[in-house]
Amino acid sequence: MFVHGAIKPPKPYKVPTIEEKGAPRYCRYHQFVGHPIIACQTLRKILHAKIHDGTLELPFKRQAIDEDPMLK
Ligand SMILES: [Zn+2]
């Protein structure tokens, strides 16, 4: 998603160092060490909003249960 520019990260307070980028708690969205990107609430909200209004195409196929909760 970052590669294609679909989501623009905010400007970082400072340029992250290589060590910071390699840290397990480095957030690629906020570009600082504080939380891993999977725990980033801001990015999660943006993704949910984009999925909701259909402006984000998911790179993976939706699971059948999402399409039809009443499995046959
Ligand atoms: Zn974050």
Side-chain angles (χ1 to χ4, degrees):
M1 65 191 102
F2 294 103
V3 177
H4 300 295
I7 296 173
K8 296 223 188 317
K11 281 218 164 188
Y13 299 114
K14 64 185 182 75
V15 178
T17 64
I18 292 169
E19 288 79 20
E20 286 172 333
K21 284 185 176 181
R25 288 167 64 85
Y26 176 71
C27 176
R28 284 178 60 199
Y29 178 74
H30 285 111
Q31 300 178 57
F32 66 64
V33 178
H35 51 257
I37 194 160
I38 55 165
C40 183
Q41 295 298 318
T42 309
L43 183 60
R44 186 174 296 229
K45 278 180 194 161
I46 293 169
L47 286 175
H48 277 212
K50 282 182 173 286
I51 291 166
H52 183 73
D53 63 19
T55 56
L56 180 71
E57 285 201 21
L58 298 176
F60 50 86
K61 266 192 130 180
R62 298 183 76 181
Q63 292 183 345
I65 196 160
D66 291 335
E67 304 289 341
D68 185 3
M70 302 296 284
L71 291 174
K72 291 160 191 136

